[in-house]
Amino acid sequence: MRFVRGRDRRLQPELSGLAAVALLLGLWCLSPALVRDPIRERTFDVLLPLLPAPGDAQPGVVIVDIDRAALARFGPWPWPRAQLARLVAAAAAARPAALGVDILLASPDRFSADGDALLAQALARAPTALGFALELGAAGQDLPAIPILTSAPARLPGIWRADGVIGPTPVLAAAAQGLGAMVLAADADGPIRRVPLLAMAGGTMRPGLAVEAIRLAQGAGALLIDRQGWLHVGSVSVPLGADAALRLVPRAPAASATRTVAAATLLDDPGAGAALAGRVVLIGGSAPELGGLRVTPASAASPSVRIQAEAVETLMRGAVAYRPAGLAAAEIACAAALGVLCLLLAARLRPLLAAGLAVLACLVWAGAAVGAVRGLSLLVDPAGPALVAFATFAAAALVRFVRDEWRSRLLRASFEQRLAPEVVSRIAADPAALRLRGEAREVTALFTDIEGFTAMTERADPVELVALLDAYFDAASQVVTAHGGMVVKILGDAIHAIFNAPFALDAHPARAVACALALLEATEAVRRSPAGDRLRLGRTRIGIETGRAIVGDVGGRTKLDYTAYGNAINTAARLEAANKELGSSICIGPGTAAQLDPATLRRIGTLTLRGQSRPVGVFTPATLGSD
């Protein structure tokens, strides 16, 4: 019985899995804005709010909110600068640690000639930082820059860059003690998750608005970047990472309610200013008319001043998670290693165990990444490498399933014509149960051939002969499998069958004899058919012997021949040939006869078989009369 071995198919899950690793890593690495970054950032959107928050920020942040109630009370936006000056003066009177204005004041007051002067006077009453925007394609304004000292050249490959800046009018810029970038850029998938700590504009490095507010609160005259890439703002030190941007922790809008004072309340109630004393105060607006609403992971309409307040609080707490420049390459390497591990699990272990270990490996990575965020403040991607690895596992497992299904169908197709249906089902369900590498066991061998077959082939029409043989072998194979035997070979007119292999079969000598009797009946029916009668199909002669044999696969790399070798096999073949001499149809050897009831046999002669020194008796079923 032959079928394709396909040893190289053993590597199919590994090769296909490696291709999956390469494909998935390629998609993950080459499409950062479409695949890698959104997966990582959305994971952090969920993860970061769940981590324990550090202690309260000191001196704390308060938002002075220009909301719709303020617009209804003091008029529509934009306000005259005199009105804005009243609000700034009220905030400054509360003696805040620093004051930041999250409103771009790029054009002169259009309502009065002295509006800017009044606002400048109010700004000068407290350490105040105004915001500027980045300008692309133009040099923009010539704004003063805060000194940024470096102990070594800063390596910030991802820093936000622009050709220039658009800032407050000269009179307002001169009144402010600080100028910071208030730009907020959304990620590729829409939400804003970062604010710039530093930005490069027109070749000059400038701080972000949150950094400037902290600098003023700290009373620092300059910023310092050390050799390790940390930014020092007074006593506050934060890592810059590769992009010099601060990754925010998504907070629900309700979280800022306790640190918000309505602009109308501050203007109408002198006592409301007590909440601003000693704090970093940011003035901005939640009213849509101010145009400051942004999409964040926590809200589809988050005021930009609230985003800046979160940045200030995060910096003041000192717990800043960041991504070093080499972290992305390390994640890619770990994803590849994790993918190869999951590939080997899928290819080598049983599916349930492999899936459990693959999930465990991915969870270990995710847990280690979460630990790095919490313990080392490193924004290690917990999801991307794990997804790449598990997708690799799924691909390799699918390939293995297809391969095993192919092997199962191949085994079924190879055995279904040669074994009983229940045995075929057993092999298909567990191919490993079939010992194909060779084993010694007792078998009963059965050989058949057709009397006068050579002469028949010379006189027969080829088409008719093939059709007759098909009917003959189909009937004979069904008889063998019905009795629990296995058709090993069909050569010419001969059938070689064995009993008790590949699985154990009770009373296999008796089953073989019963099979031989049924074969005679089935083949005689074929002989009496019109085709058999026309071609004068000869009798079937059968030899049977029982003994030890070696069974297993032989055939090299490309073919398998599941067969049996041993003295019993050779004896059965010679007994089949001896029927011609003895005039019998079934010749049973002494090995089989010794395991049968003597009453069921009839002695038909004595033979000296090749390889044996003494003659032995041979038998035929007692139910058969003299041939």
Side-chain angles (χ1 to χ4, degrees):
M1 180 190 62
R2 294 185 177 273
F3 57 96
V4 176
R5 182 190 295 268
R7 288 185 179 178
D8 54 348
R9 284 187 172 87
R10 295 177 184 176
L11 297 177
Q12 192 171 5
E14 290 92 333
L15 295 177
S16 300
L18 285 175
V21 171
L23 176 61
L24 291 169
L25 279 176
L27 290 174
W28 192 53
C29 299
L30 299 178
S31 304
L34 298 177
V35 179
R36 189 173 75 226
D37 292 351
I39 290 175
R40 181 185 67 243
E41 296 302 334
R42 291 182 184 183
T43 303
F44 285 134
D45 291 344
V46 176
L47 173 63
L48 291 177
L50 300 179
L51 297 179
D56 292 337
Q58 296 298 331
V61 182
V62 175
I63 299 172
V64 175
D65 184 17
I66 303 174
D67 54 12
R68 282 188 164 176
L71 299 185
R73 172 79 169 76
F74 300 107
W77 192 261
W79 281 351
R81 294 285 164 82
Q83 179 61 43
L84 187 57
R86 287 184 57 214
L87 181 62
V88 171
R95 298 186 178 277
L99 186 62
V101 180
D102 185 46
I103 301 170
L104 183 61
L105 304 171
S107 58
D109 186 14
R110 65 180 183 177
F111 295 98
S112 66
D114 61 348
D116 284 344
L118 292 173
L119 180 56
Q121 292 174 10
L123 293 174
R125 296 177 184 177
T128 305
L130 295 180
F132 63 82
L134 298 179
E135 172 76 346
L136 298 176
Q141 293 178 234
D142 183 18
L143 293 179
I146 301 302
I148 300 178
L149 308 178
T150 59
S151 56
R155 299 180 58 188
L156 304 170
I159 191 171
W160 296 14
R161 297 179 183 273
D163 300 305
V165 296
I166 300 175
T169 62
V171 64
L172 297 179
Q177 298 183 27
L179 295 166
M182 53 187 292
V183 62
L184 299 172
D187 288 348
D189 59 339
I192 291 172
R193 299 184 175 92
R194 291 170 177 78
V195 298
L197 297 173
L198 300 173
M200 186 69 72
T204 301
M205 191 176 294
R206 298 175 180 273
L209 181 60
V211 170
E212 273 294 80
I214 291 175
R215 183 184 68 82
L216 295 178
Q218 293 281 314
L223 306 177
L224 172 65
I225 301 176
D226 65 18
R227 292 180 179 273
Q228 287 72 41
W230 282 63
L231 175 66
H232 300 274
V233 187
S235 62
V236 176
S237 299
V238 294
L240 289 173
D243 56 3
L246 174 67
R247 210 305 180 173
L248 299 172
V249 177
R251 303 293 184 193
S256 63
T258 57
R259 62 176 185 231
T260 300
V261 175
T265 301
L266 181 62
L267 290 171
D268 292 340
D269 181 7
L276 281 59
R279 306 293 184 92
V280 175
V281 177
L282 298 180
I283 299 175
S286 63
E289 291 83 348
L290 274 71
L293 300 183
R294 302 289 185 266
V295 177
T296 66
S299 172
S302 182
S304 62
V305 67
R306 185 182 299 159
I307 298 173
Q308 296 290 353
E310 290 177 358
V312 171
E313 265 196 345
T314 301
L315 291 171
M316 295 298 291
R317 285 193 178 105
V320 175
Y322 70 108
R323 286 179 61 81
L327 185 56
E331 288 174 347
I332 292 172
C334 291
L338 199 59
V340 171
L341 172 62
C342 288
L343 163 63
L344 294 177
L345 292 175
R348 299 297 182 184
L349 301 181
R350 291 185 174 273
L352 186 59
L353 177 60
L357 292 177
V359 170
L360 178 61
C362 294
L363 289 177
V364 167
W365 167 264
V370 172
V373 175
R374 182 174 180 180
L376 302 176
S377 296
L378 295 178
L379 288 172
V380 180
D381 185 358
L387 288 176
V388 169
F390 199 77
T392 299
F393 172 82
L398 178 61
V399 172
R400 181 177 178 181
F401 171 79
V402 172
R403 181 201 64 177
D404 290 347
E405 181 68 15
W406 177 85
R407 290 177 60 192
S408 175
R409 292 186 181 185
L410 187 60
L411 284 169
R412 184 181 293 273
S414 300
F415 282 105
E416 64 186 1
Q417 298 298 324
R418 299 164 171 85
L419 287 170
E422 61 272 14
V423 178
V424 176
S425 298
R426 180 178 174 185
I427 293 173
D430 186 10
L434 187 62
R435 298 180 183 177
L436 298 177
R437 293 188 176 182
E439 61 173 326
R441 67 190 305 160
E442 183 182 74
V443 300
T444 297
L446 183 150
F447 279 78
T448 76
D449 81 341
I450 299 173
E451 186 178 54
F453 178 75
T454 302
M456 185 184 70
T457 60
E458 293 176 352
R459 63 175 177 266
D461 175 76
V463 175
E464 282 192 306
L465 177 63
V466 171
L468 178 62
L469 289 177
D470 283 343
Y472 176 89
F473 288 127
D474 183 58
S477 297
Q478 290 183 28
V479 170
V480 172
T481 57
H483 286 80
M486 174 181 179
V487 178
V488 177
K489 290 187 183 74
I490 296 177
L491 296 175
D493 64 326
I495 295 176
H496 172 201
I498 57 174
F499 294 76
N500 203 42
F503 298 117
L505 183 67
D506 293 336
H508 55 90
R511 287 175 179 262
V513 173
C515 176
L517 292 170
L519 279 173
L520 290 185
E521 182 178 351
T523 56
E524 282 301 309
V526 177
R527 286 186 69 198
R528 292 191 298 270
S529 68
D533 182 65
R534 186 166 53 254
L535 297 182
R536 287 177 284 171
L537 179 65
R539 296 187 309 157
T540 297
R541 298 183 299 211
I542 303 171
I544 304 173
E545 179 59 319
T546 302
R548 299 288 290 179
I550 303 297
V551 294
D553 289 323
V554 177
R557 290 181 176 272
T558 59
K559 295 287 185 179
L560 287 181
D561 187 2
Y562 187 85
T563 189
Y565 299 91
N567 185 58
I569 309 303
N570 298 331
T571 299
R574 294 175 186 130
L575 292 174
E576 178 274 314
N579 281 301
K580 183 176 181 180
E581 176 185 341
L582 297 172
S584 57
S585 297
I586 300 176
C587 187
I588 301 172
T592 302
Q595 300 193 42
L596 298 176
D597 183 356
T600 64
L601 301 176
R602 177 170 59 85
R603 190 184 183 103
I604 56 175
T606 302
L607 298 176
T608 301
L609 299 173
R610 187 186 308 172
Q612 299 184 10
S613 57
R614 289 186 292 180
V616 295
V618 294
F619 305 84
T620 197
T623 55
L624 293 180
S626 300
D627 292 300

